[in-house]
Amino acid sequence: MCQHDGVRVQPVTPDGAVEHVVERVLATDGTVRVLVDGHPSTGTAAFADATVAPLRAAGRPVARVAVRDFLRARSVRLESGRRDPDALLDAWIDVEALNREVLTSVVRRGRWLPGLRDPDTGRSTRAAYEDAPRGTVVVLDGTLALRRGLDVDLTVHLALTVAAETRATPLDDAWQLAAYGRYRREVQPERRADVVVRVDHPDRPALVLR
């Protein structure tokens, strides 16, 4: 473990990083809503998926949800064009729908909606509501999702250095780098998230402990 300016970095295995998050969840009774956030290349979906089995083994019901299934209608999020970095950061996620149909609903109404819109076609998924008994853990993954107003209890950020983020962004998606830069400056995800895992080397992640 190394320490600099009050920040300790603890190398862990990929499984160890998942176990750390699962332990944080299991330390809380009742419904817990977890957000796993990070650049698309960090594997937020895989990380979120990996928490499901151990949570269920511990007796907790799990609602696995993806932000990409709750994007705003294409006519709204692409109003400024398909390559507007400010819109990507500010206007793509349908925060109101995610809170209403999932994050707030599991607590107030005991149910949740697996998806609202197909992210590619924009059409309704016509998904049916599922029950959320007490103790349900919502595991949500997405990109640029911290501090968006999502009603969550525990936030996880899979962090990359700027250089690694740039290398991991395909040339066709280079326009998105401006959104990631704004996100880093304005949201400061490595300071805001409850759990930060550095994943510049996916096979050798490290927990950032403050």
Side-chain angles (χ1 to χ4, degrees):
M1 181 185 294
C2 60
Q3 182 169 343
H4 180 68
D5 293 336
V7 176
R8 292 177 295 150
V9 180
Q10 176 181 311
V12 291
T13 64
D15 288 344
V18 171
E19 289 168 5
H20 179 78
V21 172
V22 170
E23 289 172 1
R24 290 283 299 265
V25 172
L26 295 179
T28 304
D29 292 328
T31 298
V32 184
R33 297 155 299 182
V34 183
L35 169 64
V36 181
D37 170 80
H39 183 276
S41 69
T42 61
T44 58
F47 191 100
D49 287 344
T51 68
V52 174
L55 286 170
R56 286 179 173 158
R60 301 294 289 269
V62 178
R64 179 69 179 89
V65 186
V67 167
R68 71 188 303 269
D69 294 323
F70 286 86
L71 298 182
R72 287 194 170 105
R74 290 166 63 88
S75 60
V76 176
R77 72 176 192 266
L78 302 180
E79 185 177 9
S80 301
R82 295 178 178 273
R83 298 193 170 198
D84 183 339
D86 290 327
L88 175 64
L89 181 59
D90 299 327
W92 278 41
I93 300 173
D94 194 337
V95 173
E96 182 178 341
L98 248 175
N99 284 338
R100 181 184 68 245
E101 305 293 357
V102 181
L103 300 172
T104 304
S105 183
V106 293
V107 175
R108 295 184 180 176
R109 294 188 289 276
R111 67 179 192 178
W112 59 286
L113 192 68
L116 184 65
R117 299 183 186 92
D118 183 296
D120 298 318
T121 67
R123 296 175 181 172
S124 170
T125 61
R126 301 185 182 278
Y129 287 99
E130 297 192 19
D131 292 335
R134 189 182 185 281
T136 292
V137 179
V138 178
V139 182
L140 173 70
D141 83 279
T143 298
L144 303 172
L146 286 176
R147 306 287 288 183
R148 302 291 98 185
L150 294 173
D151 194 4
V152 294
D153 305 299
L154 180 69
T155 54
V156 180
H157 180 66
L158 305 184
L160 292 176
T161 62
V162 175
E165 190 174 81
T166 301
R167 288 194 301 270
T169 303
L171 286 177
D172 286 347
D173 295 333
W175 63 273
Q176 298 178 2
L177 290 172
Y180 301 135
R182 255 193 70 202
Y183 187 61
R184 185 178 295 105
R185 293 190 304 273
E186 297 177 8
V187 176
Q188 298 184 333
E190 290 196 48
R191 289 182 177 273
R192 301 286 188 179
D194 299 306
V195 178
V196 176
V197 185
R198 290 185 178 166
V199 291
D200 294 289
H201 304 284
D203 57 335
R204 290 179 283 124
L207 291 171
V208 178
L209 308 174
R210 300 186 183 279

